[in-house]
Amino acid sequence: MKPVYTLGICNDETSSACLFKDGELVSAASEERFSRKKLDSSFPQQAIDFVLSNSDISFKNLSNIAYSWAKGFDVDLLPNYIERSATALKDSSEAYNIFLDRVTWDIKKDSKGRDEYSSWLNQQNLENIEVQDFYHHESHASSAALLSPFDKGVVLTADGRGDFESTTIWLFDRQKTQCLTKIYSAPSCDSLGYFYGRITGLLGFKPMRHEGKITGLAAFGEPHKALPLMKSMIKVKDGKLTSNLGDYYRPFFTPYSDKLIAEIEKFSKEDIAAAAQYHLEACLCELLDFHLKNHNISKTPLMLAGGVFGNVKATEALKKLESVNEVFVQPQMGDGGLCLGAAALLVHSMNIPIQPLKDVYLGPYTDSESYDLKSDENLIFETLVNPEEQFCKDLSDNKVIGLARGRMEFGPRALCNRSIIYKTSDSSINDWLNQRMNRTEFMPFAPVIRAETAEKAFKKFSSDDITLKFMTSTISCSDDFAKKCPSVTHIDQTARPQVVHQKDDQFMWNILKKWEEMSGEMSLVNTSFNAHEEPIVCSAGDCITSLKSKMIDILYLDNYRILLKK
């Protein structure tokens, strides 16, 4: 029987493409990894070319194409928008004008991406290829639900905005053709994504890029001092997100009123970050809890997607809700993951079962075999048959290791296929290694750890917790772990681990076990293999460039150990 190949496309804010073969996700990549432009929002032509070539098919072999980024205004949102516009008008003419500005900008922003996609589509030969579009948050929701291991549950999405929505809640039933039923929607003017992004900008960082710095900085502050200010921006009331459109909040990353800037300056950066993080978690938990109780739902699996869920502390907070028993965060949670949801929905509509996501090693191979190491006179290289012993020896010699092997990860997390590895006992690493990579971070590095050791390292650890496999949540550390691994333990004694199971990654599991035996440490540092403001490395050439810039000391590239000549 002829395979069903489905191409998924999204073309803004980390433009990406993916390919499903029948119900299996076989390839996915973001344009930034090829163009080397961080968060590249240009049309993902190189990513499309990759996913097709990786399966050795041409465009004409496609069965269908699914698109998501900008479908337009869903008429079902009209009652929400009429009610919200009336509320804004009642509040003040300024609030109403801000509301209208957001709608106008949504239309203007989306038309660019939509026109770009339509232009590309018109240039293709679409004979025998079905084409479908899907709404932004519908795609976020399906990416989390259909790629999860769950058959039923609740889906929560949250981001800045997309197709005139900012936050949605859905009921999920895999057995139904219409597998998602929306039970809540917040308009784009009431956005937790914009709330957190505005705080990011107000503290001197770049919105939509440096929100993780705010999450890390929050642990150094006291949340309740500036909490009233956060509540004056946006809050949950009667099961709805409601923003205060005016001086304190606009559903845009900029500008900021003089009044808001003056209020922010009354507090330390740490206290503002702490208050914003606390308020984000509280809003998400209160909103979800309200609607779960309203639908008599308890002990449910929860699936999450949307840029807000790049916030690992928010995920941890939701995991602690009594009404939630399991959580899955779609690992490419931002808009780069919309292609997954659109394609998965189209495949599901054909009554083809979607296989749960096993890993995110969906991008290009390192192409190390085609890179001519011998011709580069600046390199010393050797082929290793059993690299674990040498790898751990290099770690014990205080070497920073760049590890690149197999297929590149899809999403913002490096999961030991494109990672920088170092020992966890050196607490000064957060200063000198970040400087070497030109990074400014308040969150410590993340640990990679064996599942067997994680039981001793983390409180209330469950080997079934999928968020820890994909590094999408924090967890509280034991005193023993914090003492032995200070460079990966935050000031609030939490960590954001990647937990490795032997059945999933024998190579990394072996290295970790040997390192434990050699050093007495419980984990290793795993940080993404990239310099500040650059995408994670993709090819062998990218890795060699990083070695030559001395960002790393030694490169483990597939079966090669590579150093620079002195």
Side-chain angles (χ1 to χ4, degrees):
M1 188 174 178
K2 184 180 177 182
V4 175
Y5 285 106
T6 303
L7 174 66
I9 298 172
C10 53
N11 66 324
D12 209 314
E13 296 177 15
T14 317
S15 296
S16 305
C18 70
L19 187 72
F20 279 78
K21 181 181 179 181
D22 295 324
E24 181 183 3
L25 177 61
V26 293
S27 295
S30 297
E31 193 70 7
E32 66 165 18
R33 304 296 168 88
F34 305 99
S35 68
R36 309 308 302 157
K37 178 183 177 183
K38 183 76 170 177
L39 303 180
D40 193 348
S41 61
S42 60
F43 192 79
Q45 187 60 59
Q46 293 180 87
I48 292 170
D49 293 342
F50 158 70
V51 299
L52 295 178
S53 64
N54 187 66
S55 290
D56 197 26
I57 64 168
S58 63
F59 190 88
K60 66 181 180 181
N61 297 123
L62 290 173
S63 308
N64 36 44
I65 298 171
Y67 170 76
S68 184
W69 160 252
K71 183 175 180 178
F73 187 85
D74 183 354
V75 68
D76 290 343
L77 300 179
L78 195 56
N80 257 5
Y81 264 75
I82 291 172
E83 180 183 349
R84 188 63 182 93
S85 64
T87 302
L89 185 58
K90 182 180 178 182
D91 289 343
S92 69
S93 59
E94 181 188 15
Y96 184 67
N97 287 333
I98 292 171
F99 172 83
L100 291 181
D101 282 348
R102 181 66 265 169
V103 174
T104 302
W105 276 102
D106 279 2
I107 294 169
K108 183 177 180 179
K109 173 72 172 173
D110 289 351
S111 63
K112 177 181 176 295
R114 182 76 212 182
D115 291 347
E116 180 184 57
Y117 168 67
S118 297
S119 176
W120 174 83
L121 205 59
N122 288 336
Q123 296 172 37
Q124 311 307 315
N125 180 359
L126 298 175
E127 185 178 358
N128 299 320
I129 299 176
E130 179 188 4
V131 178
Q132 283 197 36
D133 303 342
F134 296 90
Y135 289 110
H136 190 106
H137 279 267
E138 175 187 33
S139 295
H140 272 321
S142 61
S143 76
L146 288 170
L147 289 171
S148 80
F150 310 131
D151 288 331
K152 288 186 178 182
V154 174
V155 189
L156 172 61
T157 75
D159 61 9
R161 60 102 216 168
D163 279 335
F164 304 91
E165 296 180 285
S166 67
T167 304
T168 62
I169 302 175
W170 310 69
L171 304 181
F172 170 63
D173 187 340
R174 192 182 296 271
Q175 304 308 315
K176 294 181 179 179
T177 303
Q178 292 290 115
C179 60
L180 290 166
T181 303
K182 191 189 300 181
I183 60 173
Y184 174 75
S185 169
S188 54
C189 65
D190 302 319
S191 167
L192 290 172
Y194 281 124
F195 160 72
Y196 207 83
R198 285 173 68 79
I199 296 297
T200 302
L202 283 160
L203 295 187
F205 301 104
K206 190 176 292 185
M208 282 188 62
R209 189 165 297 195
H210 296 155
E211 278 79 358
K213 297 180 190 294
I214 307 307
T215 309
L217 187 61
F220 295 88
E222 202 290 305
H224 296 287
K225 292 180 181 179
L227 190 57
L229 177 58
M230 302 300 126
K231 290 181 178 179
S232 71
M233 298 179 190
I234 189 169
K235 61 185 177 182
V236 175
K237 183 179 180 180
D238 299 325
K240 295 180 179 180
L241 273 172
T242 306
S243 64
N244 180 19
L245 300 175
D247 283 335
Y248 287 121
Y249 175 89
R250 295 174 66 92
F252 299 90
F253 294 125
T254 58
Y256 315 116
S257 68
D258 292 340
K259 187 175 182 180
L260 176 59
I261 292 171
E263 288 296 316
I264 290 288
E265 289 177 346
K266 292 178 181 179
F267 305 93
S268 69
K269 287 188 175 183
E270 292 82 358
D271 287 345
I272 290 292
Q277 181 64 34
Y278 182 95
H279 191 50
L280 174 72
E281 294 173 18
C283 285
L284 287 168
C285 289
E286 184 179 348
L287 182 69
L288 180 65
D289 195 51
F290 178 94
H291 289 280
L292 291 180
K293 287 177 179 177
N294 196 42
H295 285 78
N296 297 314
I297 297 170
S298 62
K299 301 301 179 185
T300 182
L302 175 64
M303 292 141 275
L304 305 171
V308 166
F309 297 110
N311 190 307
V312 290
K313 299 295 291 183
T315 299
E316 183 185 9
L318 288 164
K319 285 163 64 174
K320 292 178 179 178
L321 288 175
E322 288 186 7
S323 52
V324 172
N325 60 8
E326 295 179 275
V327 173
F328 172 73
V329 182
Q330 192 269 99
Q332 175 47 299
M333 67 289 291
D335 287 347
L338 290 169
C339 59
L340 303 181
L345 266 180
L346 181 48
V347 174
H348 179 80
S349 72
M350 302 170 69
N351 294 317
I352 298 174
I354 301 294
Q355 295 185 25
L357 189 69
K358 295 177 182 177
D359 59 60
V360 291
Y361 307 119
L362 298 162
Y365 287 92
T366 59
D367 70 349
S368 59
E369 295 304 320
S370 62
Y371 190 92
D372 190 0
L373 293 169
K374 293 180 180 178
S375 67
D376 195 328
E377 59 185 21
N378 296 310
L379 303 178
I380 301 171
F381 69 95
E382 60 180 317
T383 303
L384 299 173
V385 178
N386 296 305
E388 291 93 343
E389 188 82 34
Q390 183 63 58
F391 196 102
C392 290
K393 183 180 183 304
D394 287 334
L395 288 169
S396 65
D397 289 339
N398 301 322
K399 301 300 183 185
V400 176
I401 296 175
L403 176 61
R405 60 195 176 115
R407 298 181 68 178
M408 177 191 68
E409 300 92 337
F410 182 54
R413 308 282 188 251
L415 300 173
C416 292
N417 272 26
R418 301 290 190 280
S419 291
I420 291 175
I421 309 292
Y422 192 69
K423 59 185 182 182
T424 57
S425 55
D426 182 358
S427 58
S428 68
I429 188 178
N430 290 290
D431 295 322
W432 63 260
L433 184 53
N434 273 322
Q435 288 177 8
R436 195 189 276 201
M437 295 183 291
N438 296 316
R439 296 181 187 173
T440 304
E441 300 291 346
F442 302 101
M443 187 78 83
F445 291 108
V448 56
I449 187 170
R450 292 189 309 134
E452 295 84 349
T453 309
E455 295 177 1
K456 298 174 285 185
F458 306 121
K459 298 176 181 178
K460 297 183 180 179
F461 169 75
S462 168
S463 61
D464 295 327
D465 188 339
I466 316 166
T467 66
L468 304 183
K469 176 179 177 179
F470 294 116
M471 206 186 282
T472 53
S473 176
T474 45
I475 188 171
S476 295
C477 304
S478 68
D479 291 340
D480 191 33
F481 180 86
K483 181 179 179 181
K484 291 178 178 177
C485 306
S487 66
V488 292
T489 305
H490 205 9
I491 190 174
D492 61 359
Q493 201 150 320
T494 63
R496 174 174 52 98
Q498 177 197 356
V499 175
V500 174
H501 297 261
Q502 186 176 10
K503 61 181 175 61
D504 295 331
D505 190 343
Q506 184 71 56
F507 171 77
M508 203 63 213
W509 190 92
N510 287 344
I511 284 177
L512 288 162
K513 188 172 189 298
K514 185 168 287 294
W515 180 245
E516 289 173 40
E517 294 167 354
M518 285 179 60
S519 69
E521 295 180 29
M522 303 171 79
S523 66
L524 285 167
V525 167
N526 169 21
T527 190
S528 57
F529 195 166
N530 65 292
H532 185 54
E533 299 299 313
E534 292 183 5
I536 295 173
V537 296
C538 179
S539 66
D542 299 334
C543 300
I544 298 294
T545 298
S546 296
L547 178 65
K548 289 180 176 179
S549 72
K550 298 185 179 179
M551 188 172 73
I552 56 173
D553 298 319
I554 300 174
L555 173 62
Y556 277 75
L557 178 62
D558 293 324
N559 295 321
Y560 300 105
R561 178 177 179 267
I562 308 172
L563 300 88
L564 283 178
K565 287 182 180 178
K566 294 182 180 179

